[in-house]
Amino acid sequence: MDVFEDFLIAGEEIDELNSEGFFGLEAKELLRKRDAMDTSQYLYKSIKIWLESNSDKAQTKHLIKILFRLYINSLKVNSQKVIDILDAFWRGTSDQPHIEGMSAYTELTRLFTEAKESLSDPTLGTSTATKRRAASNISNTYSKGVEFIGKTLVNLIAIAKVANNKEFNMYRDSKLSLLDKVKKFNKITNNQYQDITDIINRYVRNAEAHLSLTFSTTRSKFVLRKRDNGKLVNDYITIEDMLLKLFPSVGAYAQAFVYSGSLLVIAYEDKELFKKTINEIYM
């Protein structure tokens, strides 16, 4: 069995969704032209589609800068290690294929797109069933988004350790709880990049790995079931916090993680195109 099988399967799944127009007609058309384009040009066009979309981009742009600052500090110490660590997120490694994150990203992008569409349902304000379905989509997507951030923290911890000339073990760090990953990352980086970990709601951050996040129509709040001193307790998240802060933030982070990596590739292959892309993002 190919050690990169999960990566290949996830890549095929996201291409299949793209070819069906799931992520929009522009993305579908870009996929059709991909094989005839240089990698840097393809990545630039992908970023361009995002820039021309109607989505709010402020948080994504902010997070790209934060991630890039982290990368640059480590690239100065050992550029090849940084590239290998980022590559390992998407494909895993020959001896640790399970640490790949491509399948998690594929699932998150699918869920995020479906959740946003459910919020546009014209019956949302009048149908209880539609409200429940939309709320379920939101809570499931946010949970998957938190899992995705937790996966990336394994690689970000490793990159931060490169900057400090310290050894890292991604397999060992992948076994840490979400809370321990957050603590370890913030400690290694002296809290310089807390905007990344602050995306994770403080209640969720302290919950166990598998979130139990549901919506109560009676309370009109999202309910987080978690264990506290051996007992199951409830924490509550308002609709406003979820829809305006938490849910959009996991999408913004996923975009920032992908686009910051894309920018590194563009910078390596075509410095002029990199300058052009940066200017278009932050002009």
Side-chain angles (χ1 to χ4, degrees), residues 50 59-60 63-64 67 71 89-90 101 104-110 112 141 144-149 152 196 199 246-262:
W50 164 63
Q59 189 176 21
T60 301
L63 290 169
I64 287 173
L67 288 167
Y71 299 159
F89 175 82
W90 297 108
Y105 174 71
T106 302
E107 180 71 357
L108 176 58
T109 52
R110 181 184 66 79
F112 196 83
T141 301
K144 290 293 182 182
V146 169
E147 289 179 19
F148 177 80
I149 295 171
T152 67
I196 293 172
I199 289 172
L246 303 179
F247 173 69
S249 69
V250 294
Y253 177 81
Q255 286 179 321
F257 187 80
V258 171
Y259 294 146
S260 62
S262 297

Short mmCIF file of all heavy atoms in Angstrom, two decimals, residues 50 59-60 63-64 67 71 89-90 101 104-110 112 141 144-149 152 196 199 246-262:
data_model
loop_
_atom_site.label_atom_id
_atom_site.label_comp_id
_atom_site.label_asym_id
_atom_site.label_seq_id
_atom_site.Cartn_x
_atom_site.Cartn_y
_atom_site.Cartn_z
N TRP A 50 -9.78 33.95 -4.96
CA TRP A 50 -10.19 34.32 -3.59
C TRP A 50 -10.27 35.83 -3.45
O TRP A 50 -11.24 36.36 -2.88
CB TRP A 50 -9.18 33.74 -2.59
CG TRP A 50 -9.26 34.35 -1.23
CD1 TRP A 50 -10.33 34.31 -0.37
CD2 TRP A 50 -8.25 35.13 -0.57
NE1 TRP A 50 -10.03 35.01 0.78
CE2 TRP A 50 -8.76 35.52 0.69
CE3 TRP A 50 -6.95 35.51 -0.91
CZ2 TRP A 50 -8.03 36.28 1.60
CZ3 TRP A 50 -6.21 36.26 0.00
CH2 TRP A 50 -6.75 36.64 1.22
N GLN A 59 -9.49 38.97 8.13
CA GLN A 59 -8.87 38.04 9.08
C GLN A 59 -7.88 37.11 8.38
O GLN A 59 -6.81 36.81 8.91
CB GLN A 59 -9.93 37.22 9.81
CG GLN A 59 -9.34 36.41 10.98
CD GLN A 59 -10.39 35.66 11.77
OE1 GLN A 59 -11.50 35.40 11.30
NE2 GLN A 59 -10.06 35.29 13.00
N THR A 60 -8.24 36.65 7.19
CA THR A 60 -7.34 35.78 6.43
C THR A 60 -6.03 36.49 6.13
O THR A 60 -4.94 35.94 6.31
CB THR A 60 -7.99 35.31 5.12
OG1 THR A 60 -9.21 34.61 5.41
CG2 THR A 60 -7.06 34.38 4.34
N LEU A 63 -3.91 36.71 9.26
CA LEU A 63 -3.32 35.43 9.64
C LEU A 63 -2.20 35.01 8.68
O LEU A 63 -1.24 34.37 9.10
CB LEU A 63 -4.41 34.35 9.71
CG LEU A 63 -5.40 34.49 10.87
CD1 LEU A 63 -6.59 33.55 10.70
CD2 LEU A 63 -4.71 34.24 12.20
N ILE A 64 -2.33 35.37 7.41
CA ILE A 64 -1.25 35.08 6.46
C ILE A 64 0.03 35.77 6.92
O ILE A 64 1.12 35.17 6.92
CB ILE A 64 -1.63 35.55 5.04
CG1 ILE A 64 -2.68 34.63 4.42
CG2 ILE A 64 -0.39 35.58 4.12
CD1 ILE A 64 -3.24 35.13 3.09
N LEU A 67 1.48 33.89 10.01
CA LEU A 67 2.11 32.62 9.63
C LEU A 67 3.41 32.86 8.87
O LEU A 67 4.41 32.17 9.10
CB LEU A 67 1.14 31.80 8.77
CG LEU A 67 -0.05 31.19 9.52
CD1 LEU A 67 -1.09 30.68 8.54
CD2 LEU A 67 0.41 30.05 10.42
N TYR A 71 7.19 31.55 9.59
CA TYR A 71 7.99 30.82 8.60
C TYR A 71 9.34 31.49 8.38
O TYR A 71 10.38 30.82 8.34
CB TYR A 71 7.26 30.76 7.26
CG TYR A 71 5.91 30.06 7.27
CD1 TYR A 71 4.97 30.30 6.27
CD2 TYR A 71 5.57 29.16 8.28
CE1 TYR A 71 3.75 29.66 6.26
CE2 TYR A 71 4.33 28.53 8.28
CZ TYR A 71 3.43 28.78 7.26
OH TYR A 71 2.21 28.16 7.25
N PHE A 89 2.73 18.14 6.25
CA PHE A 89 1.32 18.35 6.63
C PHE A 89 0.40 17.81 5.55
O PHE A 89 -0.62 17.18 5.84
CB PHE A 89 1.02 19.83 6.88
CG PHE A 89 -0.44 20.06 7.16
CD1 PHE A 89 -0.95 19.85 8.43
CD2 PHE A 89 -1.32 20.43 6.14
CE1 PHE A 89 -2.31 20.02 8.68
CE2 PHE A 89 -2.67 20.60 6.39
CZ PHE A 89 -3.16 20.39 7.66
N TRP A 90 0.73 18.09 4.30
CA TRP A 90 -0.16 17.70 3.21
C TRP A 90 -0.03 16.23 2.83
O TRP A 90 -1.01 15.59 2.49
CB TRP A 90 0.11 18.58 1.99
CG TRP A 90 -0.20 20.02 2.26
CD1 TRP A 90 0.69 21.04 2.41
CD2 TRP A 90 -1.50 20.60 2.47
NE1 TRP A 90 0.04 22.21 2.70
CE2 TRP A 90 -1.31 21.97 2.74
CE3 TRP A 90 -2.79 20.08 2.45
CZ2 TRP A 90 -2.37 22.83 2.99
CZ3 TRP A 90 -3.85 20.93 2.70
CH2 TRP A 90 -3.64 22.29 2.97
N GLY A 101 -2.49 16.03 6.42
CA GLY A 101 -3.66 16.84 6.72
C GLY A 101 -4.52 17.16 5.51
O GLY A 101 -5.51 17.88 5.62
N ALA A 104 -8.11 16.08 6.00
CA ALA A 104 -8.81 16.97 6.94
C ALA A 104 -9.19 18.28 6.25
O ALA A 104 -10.30 18.81 6.47
CB ALA A 104 -7.93 17.25 8.16
N TYR A 105 -8.29 18.80 5.41
CA TYR A 105 -8.58 20.04 4.68
C TYR A 105 -9.72 19.84 3.68
O TYR A 105 -10.61 20.69 3.57
CB TYR A 105 -7.33 20.53 3.95
CG TYR A 105 -7.58 21.71 3.06
CD1 TYR A 105 -7.84 22.96 3.61
CD2 TYR A 105 -7.58 21.59 1.68
CE1 TYR A 105 -8.10 24.06 2.80
CE2 TYR A 105 -7.83 22.68 0.86
CZ TYR A 105 -8.09 23.91 1.42
OH TYR A 105 -8.35 24.99 0.61
N THR A 106 -9.69 18.70 2.97
CA THR A 106 -10.75 18.39 2.00
C THR A 106 -12.11 18.35 2.68
O THR A 106 -13.09 18.92 2.20
CB THR A 106 -10.47 17.04 1.31
OG1 THR A 106 -9.20 17.09 0.67
CG2 THR A 106 -11.53 16.72 0.28
N GLU A 107 -12.17 17.67 3.82
CA GLU A 107 -13.43 17.55 4.56
C GLU A 107 -13.89 18.91 5.07
O GLU A 107 -15.08 19.26 4.98
CB GLU A 107 -13.24 16.58 5.73
CG GLU A 107 -14.47 16.36 6.59
CD GLU A 107 -15.57 15.55 5.91
OE1 GLU A 107 -15.40 15.18 4.73
OE2 GLU A 107 -16.59 15.29 6.56
N LEU A 108 -12.97 19.72 5.58
CA LEU A 108 -13.34 21.03 6.11
C LEU A 108 -13.87 21.94 5.01
O LEU A 108 -14.88 22.63 5.21
CB LEU A 108 -12.13 21.68 6.79
CG LEU A 108 -12.35 23.11 7.32
CD1 LEU A 108 -13.50 23.15 8.32
CD2 LEU A 108 -11.08 23.65 7.94
N THR A 109 -13.20 21.98 3.85
CA THR A 109 -13.66 22.87 2.77
C THR A 109 -15.05 22.46 2.27
O THR A 109 -15.89 23.32 1.97
CB THR A 109 -12.67 22.88 1.60
OG1 THR A 109 -12.39 21.54 1.19
CG2 THR A 109 -11.38 23.56 1.97
N ARG A 110 -15.29 21.16 2.20
CA ARG A 110 -16.61 20.68 1.78
C ARG A 110 -17.68 21.10 2.78
O ARG A 110 -18.73 21.65 2.41
CB ARG A 110 -16.60 19.15 1.62
CG ARG A 110 -17.93 18.57 1.15
CD ARG A 110 -17.89 17.05 1.10
NE ARG A 110 -17.75 16.46 2.43
CZ ARG A 110 -18.76 16.32 3.30
NH1 ARG A 110 -19.98 16.76 2.97
NH2 ARG A 110 -18.57 15.76 4.46
N PHE A 112 -17.55 23.46 5.08
CA PHE A 112 -17.66 24.92 5.19
C PHE A 112 -18.54 25.48 4.07
O PHE A 112 -19.39 26.34 4.30
CB PHE A 112 -16.28 25.56 5.15
CG PHE A 112 -16.26 26.98 5.64
CD1 PHE A 112 -16.18 27.27 7.00
CD2 PHE A 112 -16.33 28.04 4.75
CE1 PHE A 112 -16.17 28.58 7.46
CE2 PHE A 112 -16.33 29.35 5.20
CZ PHE A 112 -16.25 29.62 6.55
N THR A 141 -19.09 21.91 11.26
CA THR A 141 -18.00 22.56 10.53
C THR A 141 -17.00 23.21 11.49
O THR A 141 -15.79 23.09 11.32
CB THR A 141 -18.55 23.63 9.57
OG1 THR A 141 -19.44 23.01 8.65
CG2 THR A 141 -17.42 24.30 8.79
N LYS A 144 -14.87 20.54 13.06
CA LYS A 144 -13.86 20.06 12.11
C LYS A 144 -12.77 21.12 11.90
O LYS A 144 -11.59 20.78 11.70
CB LYS A 144 -14.50 19.71 10.77
CG LYS A 144 -15.38 18.47 10.79
CD LYS A 144 -14.57 17.22 11.03
CE LYS A 144 -15.43 15.97 11.00
NZ LYS A 144 -14.64 14.75 11.30
N GLY A 145 -13.17 22.39 11.95
CA GLY A 145 -12.20 23.47 11.81
C GLY A 145 -11.22 23.50 12.96
O GLY A 145 -10.01 23.70 12.77
N VAL A 146 -11.72 23.26 14.17
CA VAL A 146 -10.85 23.21 15.34
C VAL A 146 -9.89 22.02 15.23
O VAL A 146 -8.71 22.13 15.54
CB VAL A 146 -11.69 23.12 16.63
CG1 VAL A 146 -10.81 22.79 17.84
CG2 VAL A 146 -12.44 24.42 16.87
N GLU A 147 -10.40 20.88 14.76
CA GLU A 147 -9.54 19.71 14.55
C GLU A 147 -8.45 20.03 13.53
O GLU A 147 -7.29 19.61 13.69
CB GLU A 147 -10.37 18.52 14.08
CG GLU A 147 -11.27 17.93 15.16
CD GLU A 147 -12.10 16.76 14.65
OE1 GLU A 147 -11.74 16.19 13.59
OE2 GLU A 147 -13.12 16.43 15.28
N PHE A 148 -8.82 20.76 12.48
CA PHE A 148 -7.86 21.12 11.44
C PHE A 148 -6.76 22.02 12.03
O PHE A 148 -5.57 21.80 11.78
CB PHE A 148 -8.57 21.86 10.30
CG PHE A 148 -7.64 22.34 9.21
CD1 PHE A 148 -7.18 21.47 8.23
CD2 PHE A 148 -7.21 23.66 9.16
CE1 PHE A 148 -6.32 21.89 7.24
CE2 PHE A 148 -6.36 24.10 8.17
CZ PHE A 148 -5.91 23.21 7.20
N ILE A 149 -7.15 23.00 12.83
CA ILE A 149 -6.15 23.88 13.47
C ILE A 149 -5.24 23.05 14.36
O ILE A 149 -4.02 23.25 14.38
CB ILE A 149 -6.84 24.99 14.28
CG1 ILE A 149 -7.63 25.92 13.35
CG2 ILE A 149 -5.81 25.80 15.06
CD1 ILE A 149 -8.50 26.92 14.08
N THR A 152 -2.64 21.39 12.28
CA THR A 152 -1.60 22.29 11.80
C THR A 152 -0.65 22.70 12.92
O THR A 152 0.52 22.99 12.67
CB THR A 152 -2.19 23.58 11.16
OG1 THR A 152 -2.83 24.37 12.17
CG2 THR A 152 -3.18 23.24 10.06
N ILE A 196 -3.38 33.08 16.38
CA ILE A 196 -3.71 31.78 15.79
C ILE A 196 -4.51 30.94 16.78
O ILE A 196 -5.61 30.46 16.48
CB ILE A 196 -2.43 31.01 15.37
CG1 ILE A 196 -1.74 31.73 14.20
CG2 ILE A 196 -2.77 29.57 14.98
CD1 ILE A 196 -0.38 31.15 13.85
N ILE A 199 -8.21 31.80 18.00
CA ILE A 199 -9.34 31.45 17.14
C ILE A 199 -10.19 30.36 17.80
O ILE A 199 -11.40 30.31 17.66
CB ILE A 199 -8.85 30.94 15.76
CG1 ILE A 199 -8.28 32.12 14.96
CG2 ILE A 199 -9.97 30.27 14.97
CD1 ILE A 199 -7.60 31.69 13.69
N LEU A 246 -16.62 32.77 15.62
CA LEU A 246 -16.00 31.45 15.64
C LEU A 246 -16.07 30.73 14.30
O LEU A 246 -15.05 30.25 13.79
CB LEU A 246 -16.64 30.60 16.75
CG LEU A 246 -16.57 31.20 18.15
CD1 LEU A 246 -17.25 30.30 19.15
CD2 LEU A 246 -15.12 31.43 18.55
N PHE A 247 -17.26 30.62 13.74
CA PHE A 247 -17.42 29.91 12.46
C PHE A 247 -16.60 30.54 11.34
O PHE A 247 -15.84 29.84 10.66
CB PHE A 247 -18.90 29.83 12.09
CG PHE A 247 -19.16 29.28 10.72
CD1 PHE A 247 -18.91 27.94 10.44
CD2 PHE A 247 -19.65 30.09 9.70
CE1 PHE A 247 -19.14 27.43 9.16
CE2 PHE A 247 -19.89 29.59 8.44
CZ PHE A 247 -19.63 28.26 8.16
N PRO A 248 -16.68 31.87 11.12
CA PRO A 248 -15.86 32.46 10.05
C PRO A 248 -14.36 32.31 10.30
O PRO A 248 -13.58 32.20 9.36
CB PRO A 248 -16.26 33.94 10.06
CG PRO A 248 -17.57 33.98 10.75
CD PRO A 248 -17.53 32.88 11.76
N SER A 249 -13.96 32.29 11.58
CA SER A 249 -12.53 32.28 11.90
C SER A 249 -11.84 31.00 11.48
O SER A 249 -10.68 31.03 11.05
CB SER A 249 -12.31 32.54 13.39
OG SER A 249 -12.74 31.45 14.17
N VAL A 250 -12.54 29.85 11.58
CA VAL A 250 -11.87 28.60 11.17
C VAL A 250 -11.70 28.55 9.66
O VAL A 250 -10.71 28.02 9.14
CB VAL A 250 -12.62 27.34 11.68
CG1 VAL A 250 -12.57 27.26 13.19
CG2 VAL A 250 -14.06 27.28 11.18
N GLY A 251 -12.65 29.15 8.93
CA GLY A 251 -12.50 29.24 7.47
C GLY A 251 -11.37 30.17 7.09
O GLY A 251 -10.57 29.87 6.19
N ALA A 252 -11.27 31.30 7.81
CA ALA A 252 -10.19 32.26 7.54
C ALA A 252 -8.83 31.63 7.82
O ALA A 252 -7.87 31.84 7.07
CB ALA A 252 -10.38 33.51 8.41
N TYR A 253 -8.74 30.86 8.90
CA TYR A 253 -7.46 30.23 9.24
C TYR A 253 -7.07 29.19 8.18
O TYR A 253 -5.91 29.14 7.77
CB TYR A 253 -7.51 29.56 10.61
CG TYR A 253 -6.21 28.85 10.91
CD1 TYR A 253 -5.12 29.56 11.38
CD2 TYR A 253 -6.06 27.48 10.66
CE1 TYR A 253 -3.90 28.93 11.61
CE2 TYR A 253 -4.85 26.84 10.89
CZ TYR A 253 -3.78 27.58 11.36
OH TYR A 253 -2.57 26.95 11.56
N ALA A 254 -8.02 28.37 7.76
CA ALA A 254 -7.72 27.36 6.73
C ALA A 254 -7.21 28.03 5.47
O ALA A 254 -6.23 27.58 4.85
CB ALA A 254 -8.96 26.52 6.44
N GLN A 255 -7.87 29.11 5.06
CA GLN A 255 -7.42 29.85 3.89
C GLN A 255 -6.01 30.40 4.10
O GLN A 255 -5.15 30.30 3.22
CB GLN A 255 -8.38 31.01 3.59
CG GLN A 255 -9.70 30.59 3.01
CD GLN A 255 -10.61 31.79 2.76
OE1 GLN A 255 -10.66 32.73 3.57
NE2 GLN A 255 -11.33 31.78 1.65
N ALA A 256 -5.77 30.99 5.26
CA ALA A 256 -4.47 31.60 5.55
C ALA A 256 -3.36 30.54 5.53
O ALA A 256 -2.26 30.79 5.02
CB ALA A 256 -4.50 32.31 6.89
N PHE A 257 -3.65 29.38 6.09
CA PHE A 257 -2.64 28.31 6.12
C PHE A 257 -2.30 27.87 4.71
O PHE A 257 -1.13 27.69 4.36
CB PHE A 257 -3.16 27.12 6.94
CG PHE A 257 -2.13 26.06 7.17
CD1 PHE A 257 -1.16 26.20 8.15
CD2 PHE A 257 -2.11 24.91 6.39
CE1 PHE A 257 -0.19 25.23 8.36
CE2 PHE A 257 -1.15 23.92 6.59
CZ PHE A 257 -0.18 24.08 7.58
N VAL A 258 -3.32 27.70 3.88
CA VAL A 258 -3.10 27.28 2.48
C VAL A 258 -2.39 28.37 1.69
O VAL A 258 -1.40 28.10 1.00
CB VAL A 258 -4.45 26.93 1.81
CG1 VAL A 258 -4.25 26.72 0.31
CG2 VAL A 258 -5.04 25.68 2.44
N TYR A 259 -2.87 29.61 1.78
CA TYR A 259 -2.31 30.68 0.96
C TYR A 259 -0.91 31.09 1.41
O TYR A 259 -0.08 31.49 0.58
CB TYR A 259 -3.25 31.89 0.95
CG TYR A 259 -4.57 31.62 0.27
CD1 TYR A 259 -5.75 32.21 0.71
CD2 TYR A 259 -4.65 30.74 -0.81
CE1 TYR A 259 -6.97 31.96 0.10
CE2 TYR A 259 -5.87 30.48 -1.43
CZ TYR A 259 -7.02 31.08 -0.96
OH TYR A 259 -8.22 30.82 -1.57
N SER A 260 -0.63 31.00 2.70
CA SER A 260 0.74 31.31 3.16
C SER A 260 1.72 30.29 2.60
O SER A 260 2.83 30.64 2.19
CB SER A 260 0.81 31.35 4.68
OG SER A 260 0.47 30.09 5.25
N GLY A 261 1.30 29.02 2.55
CA GLY A 261 2.14 27.99 1.94
C GLY A 261 2.29 28.21 0.45
O GLY A 261 3.39 28.02 -0.11
N SER A 262 1.20 28.60 -0.20
CA SER A 262 1.25 28.89 -1.64
C SER A 262 2.22 30.03 -1.93
O SER A 262 2.97 29.98 -2.91
CB SER A 262 -0.15 29.26 -2.15
OG SER A 262 -1.05 28.19 -2.00
#
